[in-house]
Amino acid sequence: MIDAGKAGLDADALVHLHEAEMPESYADSVKLLGEMRDKIRDGFAAGNVEQADGPLHEVGHLLEHIETLVNQSSLSDDQKKQAAVAIESLFDTFGKVDARVHDKQGKAGKEYSEVTESVDASIKVLADLVDATKK
């Protein structure tokens, strides 16, 4: 695996990369998640669905990777549960946004603007655990 911070990779660079190329550390993975969230958010805000759609499709792979890192970490059971709830929420929320993007009638799922607070809150939970994963 590569270290995204050391390699200078960002959310654009990791779109379409494989699991073996994900960041090694939990901290770098959560940082990348924030960058991908920003790309998705900014793409929708600018009305550029193409900019948002690539990271939106890839965010699930990153969430799976983060889930693996959490399960392998020395976090307490309570902290692992907090992370699992946040990850599940992100899977669900990004899935709803993706459903809206691909619904030809635009009635399924949710607009990104409807889920911003939920996404930000879940990412904050994961970010708040970064220091605990370094112990």
Side-chain angles (χ1 to χ4, degrees):
M1 284 194 227
I2 59 172
D3 185 326
K6 290 179 185 172
L9 296 176
D10 62 15
D12 287 331
L14 283 180
V15 171
H16 305 298
L17 292 183
H18 301 287
E19 179 66 23
E21 298 167 316
M22 290 286 183
E24 288 182 22
S25 75
Y26 177 83
D28 285 342
S29 297
V30 172
K31 179 182 176 198
L32 179 60
L33 177 62
E35 292 171 3
M36 291 180 87
R37 180 254 340 255
D38 294 349
K39 288 279 186 198
I40 294 165
R41 177 198 64 213
D42 296 349
F44 284 121
N48 186 343
V49 175
E50 284 185 25
Q51 177 185 337
D53 199 32
L56 184 59
H57 283 278
E58 297 300 320
V59 76
H61 299 295
L62 180 59
L63 289 171
E64 289 172 351
H65 177 68
I66 291 171
E67 186 172 46
T68 298
L69 292 173
V70 165
N71 290 334
Q72 295 172 348
S73 75
S74 60
L75 291 172
S76 70
D77 288 343
D78 184 54
Q79 290 169 321
K80 286 181 180 181
K81 184 176 179 180
Q82 290 173 31
V85 168
I87 291 166
E88 185 61 34
S89 175
L90 289 167
F91 269 121
D92 182 55
T93 304
F94 283 126
K96 289 177 181 175
V97 173
D98 189 57
R100 174 64 62 97
V101 168
H102 296 287
D103 178 32
K104 294 188 187 337
Q105 297 175 350
K107 295 181 181 178
K110 301 243 182 202
E111 294 287 339
Y112 188 81
S113 60
E114 297 176 275
V115 299
T116 300
E117 289 181 23
S118 173
V119 168
D120 291 349
S122 293
I123 291 176
K124 182 179 181 333
V125 168
L126 297 175
D128 287 349
L129 294 171
V130 166
D131 286 340
T133 64
K134 295 178 181 177
K135 295 178 183 177

